[in-house]
């Protein structure tokens, strides 16, 4: 993962942890900027973001939605990569390809889609 995206997602993780520990979300300009920068990285539209930034409750929902997409997408791609690797080692290249196709069928997060597309391209280059 690139360092900028990693740092952005790390900031979200810290913010969500504080909220989960009972600290209320403060809609400072810094928090608004963080959510505005993070939302496109998980395929959430600017329109949805701006609507969510209208109040603390909807901004908290947005924060949790962003973090859920990161968490779920990460689990999905890691699991698929593991299955793909096992299938490839067994010689089942088509089964390995299907693992990445299955991710692409449901994944919204561009970073995880790029990983799946890259893996699929690599499998397609195999004899």
């Amino acid at each position: 993962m690139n360092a900028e995206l990693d740092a952005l997602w790390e900031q979200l993780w810290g913010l969500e942890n504080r909220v989960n520990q009972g600290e209320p979300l403060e809609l400072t300009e810094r928090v608004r900027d963080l959510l505005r920068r993070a939302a496109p990285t998980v395929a959430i539209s600017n329109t949805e973001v701006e609507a969510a930034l209208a109040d603390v409750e909807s901004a908290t929902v947005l924060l949790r939605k962003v973090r859920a997409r990161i968490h779920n997408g990460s689990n999905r791609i890691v699991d698929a990569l593991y299955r793909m690797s096992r299938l490839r080692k067994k010689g089942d290249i088509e089964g390995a390809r299907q693992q990445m196709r299955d991710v692409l069928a449901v994944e919204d997060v561009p970073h995880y889609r790029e990983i799946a597309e890259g893996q699929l391209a690599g499998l397609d280059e195999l004899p």
Side-chain angles (χ1 to χ4, degrees):
M1 185 179 330
N2 73 40
E4 186 177 323
L5 184 59
D6 190 35
L8 178 62
W9 286 2
E10 185 72 24
Q11 289 175 39
L12 288 171
W13 182 78
L15 182 59
E16 184 190 37
N17 278 343
R18 290 191 301 277
V19 168
N20 287 342
Q21 293 173 0
E23 186 179 314
L25 181 66
E26 292 183 39
L27 274 179
T28 63
E29 207 44 51
R30 183 175 170 266
V31 168
R32 282 184 169 95
D33 179 60
L34 177 63
L35 291 170
R36 282 181 181 121
R37 288 184 295 122
T41 71
V42 295
I44 296 175
S45 73
N46 289 335
T47 303
E48 186 176 345
V49 172
E50 292 308 318
L53 294 178
D55 60 66
V56 171
E57 185 177 329
S58 59
T60 302
V61 169
L62 175 64
L63 171 63
R64 289 191 170 123
K65 182 176 183 177
V66 171
R67 285 290 302 140
R69 284 195 181 182
I70 295 167
H71 176 77
N72 294 338
S74 175
N75 287 342
R76 188 170 20 257
I77 193 69
V78 167
D79 291 348
L81 287 167
Y82 174 74
R83 290 188 306 270
M84 180 197 76
S85 176
R86 292 188 72 205
L87 289 165
R88 189 176 67 203
K89 286 178 184 173
K90 289 180 180 180
D92 183 359
I93 302 303
E94 188 53 37
R97 284 186 186 106
Q98 190 59 47
Q99 297 305 308
M100 294 302 107
R101 288 186 197 118
D102 290 348
V103 168
L104 290 169
V106 297
E107 187 57 61
D108 293 321
V109 177
H111 177 67
Y112 301 134
R113 289 189 61 81
E114 288 173 13
I115 292 170
E117 289 165 350
Q119 291 297 315
L120 189 55
L123 287 169
D124 289 343
E125 293 172 3
L126 294 176

